[in-house]
Amino acid sequence: MKELINHTEGINRLLARYGVKFGIYKNNEFHEQLFPFDPLPRIIPADEFDFLEKGLIQRVDALNCFLADIYGEKKIVKDGVIPEDFIFSSKGYLPQCEGIKPPKGIYSHISGIDLVQAKDKTWYILEDNLRIPSGASYPMIARELTRRASPRTFTYQKIVDNRSYAGMLRETMDHVNTGGINVVLTPGRYNAAFFEHSYLAERSGAVLAMPQDLYVENNRLYYRQYEGESLQVGAVYRRLSDEYLDPMCFVPESLIGVPGIMDVYRSGNVALLNAPGNGVADDKGIYYFVPIMVKYYLDQEPILKNAPTYLAFYEKDRNFILENLERLVVKDVSEAGGYGVVFGSGLTKEELEKMKEIIRNEPRRFIAQEVIDFIDLDIMEGDEQVPRKADLRAFVLTGETTRVWASGLTRFSRNPDSFVVNSSQGGGFKDTWVLSR
């Protein structure tokens, strides 16, 4: 481990040279910053990963069932399990996707599930990311560089090789491919995760395409090569938001979409990974119902727990939130990246009253959770090891089967007083070692 620590500065210089950065749009300006790497890995024992794997597969399978149901027969609504107006008022629900059955019936091909481990060792799911979850490339390239820096570390440690992700991604795309090449669709250089788009395309053997490289003809999608010849596209791992995907279907002003791509998708002539409309399932309000989905669709008891959550939509929960706001964390259901998160303990008396009034007026907009005192992981700060809060984003890929990548993105807060670990909030990342048997 000492050898890795000694190479930290050099590894971070290489990450910067390779463009391993994170972009942030703030106040209509684009800012690019390094995503700092810490050499001390998170270590997950084999038996603990086996437990997480079973729970994550179960959860993602249930969420895929939910998405198929919501855009199909809507049985969970008809049976009164989830309120109808709660689902269809979600900003992530897209009526344009009604009745569309994606290739092989898979909606969430690449799921990013965020977890934390409490100090009693219990794992809790914090949120589900089923739209365009990012972050797999960071531990991939970090492991590549640390292997170069300290090959002996990986010779003598029993660590599962994490280089399998590119192959898993390729197999997932191949499984739903309708005939043609695989494409990673990026909105371009100034997207926050452009490094990841290009890196995953290269490693998985897919073509990295800009929107202007794709066009629709005779209800098929084509990639226009620079030499002039066109190739049919069978699967698109799209890395742009739903609303900008097709100006003929969603936001007409979009300049980064592909006109007509939704018609091709609706006809079953191309696979889109992940499916448009998935946002209804990673709405933080819908999160509240995922354990119920596991029982409803799979007839199983949930293996992994949600953080204790209260739904302001329900009067009983809303009253509890209003009475206990100073010890809860409130989340705006439509926000992401650490935005829209408010800790009641950090509010003044006046701010608490203002927050309560907003919750009373917009109950559908918020959930509240108990603050989980999750574990600290040591990071290097100068020459010292100091504890900081850290979470784990696990990547679950659904193709012929549902599989969990034996690695993951461990993010940590660099602020000793903060529970927010997101890269967009100034956090860093470290490698995740899953121990082999």
Side-chain angles (χ1 to χ4, degrees), residues 396-409:
V396 186
L397 281 73
T398 303
E400 188 172 355
T401 59
T402 301
R403 297 179 290 171
V404 181
W405 182 35
S407 187
L409 176 65

Side-chain angles (χ1 to χ4, degrees), residues 71-96:
Y71 288 111
E73 296 184 45
K74 303 173 179 56
K75 289 181 180 179
I76 202 166
V77 173
K78 294 172 183 175
D79 289 342
V81 178
I82 302 179
E84 179 178 13
D85 54 353
F86 193 86
I87 290 175
F88 301 121
S89 64
S90 169
K91 289 184 179 179
Y93 166 74
L94 298 180
Q96 298 95 325

Side-chain angles (χ1 to χ4, degrees), residues 122-137:
T122 302
W123 285 93
Y124 291 97
I125 304 285
L126 279 190
E127 61 182 61
D128 308 290
N129 300 279
L130 310 182
R131 282 175 279 190
I132 42 176
S134 63
S137 63

Side-chain angles (χ1 to χ4, degrees), residues 42-57 115 117 121 123 143 159-162 164 168 303-304 392-397 402-409 432-437:
R42 167 177 234 142
I43 298 174
I44 302 178
D47 56 348
E48 194 167 1
F49 181 76
D50 287 346
F51 169 76
L52 289 175
E53 185 176 39
K54 291 174 185 173
L56 289 164
I57 289 171
L115 308 96
Q117 189 175 30
K121 301 302 181 183
W123 285 93
R143 182 76 63 88
I159 308 164
V160 177
D161 192 335
N162 80 343
S164 60
M168 292 171 68
I303 296 169
L304 291 170
L392 171 67
R393 172 164 292 183
F395 290 90
V396 186
L397 281 73
T402 301
R403 297 179 290 171
V404 181
W405 182 35
S407 187
L409 176 65
T432 305
W433 290 2
V434 175
L435 300 184
S436 57
R437 296 192 179 280

